[in-house]
Amino acid sequence: ITATADSSVSHYKMRLPDFPWVTVLSNEGGADSNVQVTALAGLLNREGPRLYTAGVEWENIKGFLEKTRNINFTTMGKTEVYAQARLFAPELISKKVVYSWEEAPIAMPSILTYASIHGAIPVAKEFDDKPELTLVADLSGMFADNDSDGPSHFLQLRNRGIFPDSEMAKNDVMLLQEPPLLMAGYNVDLIFANKMWAFWMDGICPYDTGGGLKPYDPKATTLFARITEGETAPAIDDDAKPFITLMGYYGNRGHNEVPGICSRTHRQLTLASSLCTGLSFLQSSFREGEKTGPPLGDDKKEKKKKEEIRRKT
């Protein structure tokens, strides 16, 4: 792939590393660097499996993908990934939303929702090292009241006309058990790849979800229902109705029917760990199927052999 960089990055043509890329989340860069690079991954992975942001499980995931999907990764540091992404997609990686690191983590779901809808990299004001990006909005100071619940934070933005109802109905909703994990980069890429509306469960749900940061507030539950299940949400039998995506472990409180905890309409749910990394890459990879390697599964002979074993058993 040959790309011409814009003047803010470089003045010459260069050969970019082959996709896909991988970078390991670490303490490299500012405190918000993991948030930045995982948001960047989500934006890139909208177009296909481009960047995998890896955590401690990387060696296991790497072996799995290389074996089952014939994927060979180009490993780069976070700083290099950003520079290469700017060269590859200067129009895609061109904007930023500034926020206050001190006001996170409680407001982080709303901050990331805002940035993902606008296709902008979230940058903490205290560590802003991206002067070359165009400022979409400065949200610092907006969430100074950290006692507010997630839906209230969301409405502060919605009331400004930033999130029109017509757009809200198109997007999935993610309920997070522990927002602080977003600050480490977990699940951020999935929010950005799918333009998800991210909410914090505590305060919304009538049961303790284990996050322990905020008690249940019936007003927050009503507000959340109005946002996600009111007139702006699609009809219950509409196939286009967005899912609620729960992130976290919820079995430790004895609630077997997880859908009933936060969603009165008992919508479909996707359950995943609060510590997931690289989900947008996996989502895009398996969506593209044969474009990124052979499909998963056994060949016909292997399937027949296993079926015979099952019959005998």
Side-chain angles (χ1 to χ4, degrees):
I1 303 171
T2 302
T4 303
D6 63 24
S7 59
S8 64
V9 180
S10 179
H11 295 282
Y12 56 88
K13 292 184 178 181
M14 65 174 295
R15 177 77 179 177
L16 295 175
D18 292 332
F19 287 121
W21 306 336
V22 62
T23 188
V24 180
L25 301 182
S26 67
N27 294 325
E28 173 195 347
D32 66 335
S33 61
N34 285 333
V35 176
Q36 287 188 28
V37 76
T38 45
L40 183 150
L43 293 176
L44 288 177
N45 292 339
R46 290 178 183 180
E47 306 300 322
R50 304 289 186 253
L51 173 59
Y52 189 99
T53 47
V56 294
E57 83 297 345
W58 171 235
E59 289 302 319
N60 292 332
I61 294 293
K62 179 183 178 183
F64 169 78
L65 291 174
E66 288 180 343
K67 180 179 179 180
T68 63
R69 309 291 290 176
N70 288 345
I71 299 177
N72 294 311
F73 291 90
T74 299
T75 303
M76 291 187 283
K78 288 185 288 187
T79 301
E80 185 182 2
V81 160
Y82 173 76
Q84 298 291 352
R86 286 274 289 157
L87 287 169
F88 169 73
E91 294 182 0
L92 185 64
I93 314 298
S94 63
K95 299 177 290 186
K96 68 179 176 182
V97 166
V98 172
Y99 66 97
S100 172
W101 188 257
E102 293 182 357
E103 294 172 16
I106 294 178
M108 206 63 176
S110 294
I111 292 167
L112 296 180
T113 295
Y114 181 102
S116 70
I117 295 300
H118 288 271
I121 301 293
V123 179
K125 193 169 188 175
E126 296 88 337
F127 319 109
D128 189 353
D129 59 349
K130 301 290 187 294
E132 68 278 4
L133 299 181
T134 301
L135 179 65
V136 172
D138 185 346
L139 305 182
S140 58
M142 183 178 293
F143 308 109
D145 179 11
N146 278 336
D147 290 332
S148 297
D149 54 71
S152 293
H153 287 154
F154 177 85
L155 283 183
Q156 288 181 54
L157 299 175
R158 186 184 177 202
N159 289 341
R160 294 188 176 190
I162 294 170
F163 297 143
D165 292 345
S166 59
E167 287 298 317
M168 194 194 74
K170 299 177 183 177
N171 299 76
D172 288 358
V173 177
M174 176 189 287
L175 293 174
L176 296 140
Q177 184 179 17
E178 297 187 53
L181 293 173
L182 293 171
M183 301 175 73
Y186 294 110
N187 294 312
V188 172
D189 65 309
L190 196 63
I191 293 174
F192 276 75
N194 298 279
K195 299 181 182 180
M196 284 182 164
W197 307 101
F199 291 92
W200 178 26
M201 286 187 70
D202 284 0
I204 297 174
C205 300
Y207 304 104
D208 178 11
T209 62
L213 295 176
K214 184 175 177 58
Y216 167 60
D217 181 356
K219 292 181 180 179
T221 303
T222 302
L223 201 55
F224 174 74
R226 193 180 102 201
I227 293 170
T228 60
E229 301 173 2
E231 295 179 357
T232 60
I236 189 65
D237 58 350
D238 187 347
D239 291 337
K241 188 177 182 70
F243 291 3
I244 286 182
T245 302
L246 292 178
M247 291 295 175
Y249 298 113
Y250 301 96
N252 60 341
R253 294 295 182 271
H255 306 301
N256 295 323
E257 192 181 8
V258 178
I261 296 178
C262 298
S263 173
R264 298 177 305 178
T265 54
H266 295 225
R267 294 193 232 169
Q268 297 184 70
L269 298 168
T270 298
L271 299 178
S273 167
S274 294
L275 300 174
C276 282
T277 58
L279 284 180
S280 68
F281 180 92
L282 298 177
Q283 179 189 53
S284 183
S285 173
F286 286 95
R287 185 188 298 126
E288 287 206 350
E290 294 182 358
K291 293 181 182 179
T292 55
L296 288 172
D298 307 312
D299 57 29
K300 292 182 180 179
K301 291 183 180 179
E302 188 67 21
K303 285 183 179 179
K304 185 176 180 180
K305 181 179 179 181
K306 287 189 175 184
E307 184 59 34
E308 290 176 355
I309 293 175
R310 277 194 291 268
R311 283 202 210 97
K312 291 179 181 179
T313 303

